Amino acid sequence: MSKKVKKADSNLENVEEVLSRTELFIEENQKVFTSIIISLIVLIGGYWAVKKLFIEPREQEAQAQIFHAQAEFGNENFQVALEGDGNTLGFLDLIESYGRTKAGKLANYYAGISYLHLEEYENAIKYLNKFNSKNSELKAVSLGAMGDAYFELENLKEAVRYYKRAIDANSNEITAPYYLLKIGVVYESLGDNKNAVDSYTKIKEQYKNSAEARQIDKYITRANLKL
């Protein structure tokens, strides 16, 4: 018998041995495997049941409830939007009762903006800080609103920080130059006219078609005269 044939036979024996061991392992642990499979089925089935019987109905309820508060918000009835009118829920009720739903999470944004309009700036920061969104435009506006709240509280460094975060979240032609202008104005009030000029110049160079760009030269000139 040649060496090649012997080697092939030896390899075949090794494979058969491994297969035999595998079969034996499966046989000995069959109950364990069965338990794991059953557990997975129960988990998947349980999640499906929770989703269909609890999560989705709660989401629908929350969406129906938030409509009234959004309508009051749109009419600038911010206190009613926050607290409800006795018959319908306000944003604060929605956060408490439906906080884990999409509508409940969105209510934090509306609550923060409502408090900003009501000049309750610490509450505005509190609720806006709880809000997060994958929507870059909404995220930018919420961060910018936090900047406004800090500005009103005369915490100008934090205001600048949040305006910058808003720009980083979405550098579009509408919100980015709007917040750059605010940053420049804050820098001027801090006596940091160099950074003010830099901020205004970004509007002129990077956002030429924005509403802010049409009047930015006067801001640049004013800040430059202070250098």
Side-chain angles (χ1 to χ4, degrees), residues 113-201:
I113 301 297
S114 296
Y115 276 124
L116 187 63
H117 282 288
L118 292 169
E119 299 181 4
E120 295 186 35
Y121 303 117
E122 289 181 357
N123 275 328
I125 292 167
K126 173 184 172 181
Y127 284 97
L128 288 169
N129 203 33
K130 293 179 181 179
F131 175 72
N132 194 17
S133 176
K134 292 180 180 178
N135 183 308
S136 60
E137 291 180 1
L138 199 56
K139 186 174 182 179
V141 172
S142 68
L143 290 167
M146 286 184 73
D148 289 341
Y150 277 114
F151 179 82
E152 295 295 341
L153 291 170
E154 298 183 4
N155 190 338
L156 302 185
K157 289 184 179 179
E158 278 296 282
V160 168
R161 187 166 79 88
Y162 276 93
Y163 290 146
K164 286 182 177 180
R165 286 185 63 187
I167 295 165
D168 289 339
N170 194 324
S171 57
N172 63 56
E173 286 279 341
I174 298 173
T175 58
Y178 176 71
Y179 293 125
L180 278 169
L181 184 62
K182 288 195 171 194
I183 289 170
V185 170
V186 173
Y187 275 136
E188 275 196 82
S189 68
L190 290 169
D192 189 350
N193 296 297
K194 182 182 181 303
N195 274 323
V197 171
D198 289 345
S199 186
Y200 298 145
T201 303

